[in-house]
């Protein structure tokens, strides 16, 4: 399957250039719904979302550590989106900043991500 081959290529490329990241467990490839994050190893000091969501996904905010930062594009598909920075203070106060305008693919579930490659 083409989507599986793309994942294998990504892992192999990482192993070729940065094997220590994989061997140490600092980098982990996970398949799933990006809107849900990966709660198994939360909280995270930093979260980068590489696809646009209409709003900040609540599960990702829940996985951000106090003192952490998240950057992500927010907006509709097929239009200009805002790339925002969210800082969660040690006191739990959220600070959001608009950084710039961008255009990203939509943040979707796993099925929609792999369907074109089947």
């Amino acid at each position: 399957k083409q989507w599986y081959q793309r994942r294998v290529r990504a892992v192999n490329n990482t192993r070729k250039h940065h094997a220590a990241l994989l061997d140490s467990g600092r980098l982990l490839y996970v398949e799933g719904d990006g809107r849900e994050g990966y709660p198994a190893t939360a909280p995270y000091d930093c979260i980068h979302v590489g696809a646009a969501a209409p709003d900040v996904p609540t599960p990702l905010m829940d996985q951000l550590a106090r003192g952490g930062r998240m950057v992500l594009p927010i907006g509709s598909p097929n239009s200009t989106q805002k790339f925002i920075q969210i800082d969660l203070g040690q006191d739990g106060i959220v600070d959001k900043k608009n950084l710039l305008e961008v255009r990203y693919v939509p943040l979707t579930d796993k099925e929609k991500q792999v369907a074109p490659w089947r």
Side-chain angles (χ1 to χ4, degrees):
K1 296 180 179 183
Q2 194 173 15
W3 65 269
Y4 178 76
Q5 292 169 346
R6 288 170 51 100
R7 181 180 183 279
V8 168
R9 271 197 314 256
V11 172
N12 288 341
N13 191 42
T14 302
R15 181 155 306 286
K16 180 179 176 183
H17 298 286
H18 303 285
L21 291 174
L22 292 171
D23 295 342
S24 69
R26 288 184 61 205
L27 177 65
L28 174 68
Y29 282 93
V30 177
E31 291 180 25
D33 187 334
R35 298 169 298 183
E36 298 299 320
Y38 190 65
T41 56
Y44 301 102
D45 295 325
C46 180
I47 298 174
H48 169 262
V49 181
D55 296 300
V56 178
T58 300
L60 296 181
M61 275 306 300
D62 293 344
Q63 293 170 43
L64 188 61
R66 291 203 175 201
R69 174 174 288 171
M70 177 173 13
V71 292
L72 72 159
I74 296 293
S76 301
N78 305 316
S79 69
T80 302
Q81 300 130 0
K82 301 276 188 203
F83 194 67
I84 65 169
Q85 172 182 309
I86 300 172
D87 292 308
L88 180 59
Q90 293 292 347
D91 55 5
I93 294 176
V94 175
D95 180 40
K96 292 183 185 179
K97 295 178 188 171
N98 288 329
L99 300 178
L100 64 146
E101 292 186 347
V102 294
R103 288 192 65 140
Y104 276 69
V105 298
L107 186 61
T108 63
D109 60 33
K110 180 182 174 184
E111 192 56 39
K112 287 182 183 169
Q113 293 173 38
V114 299
W117 303 105
R118 288 189 175 168

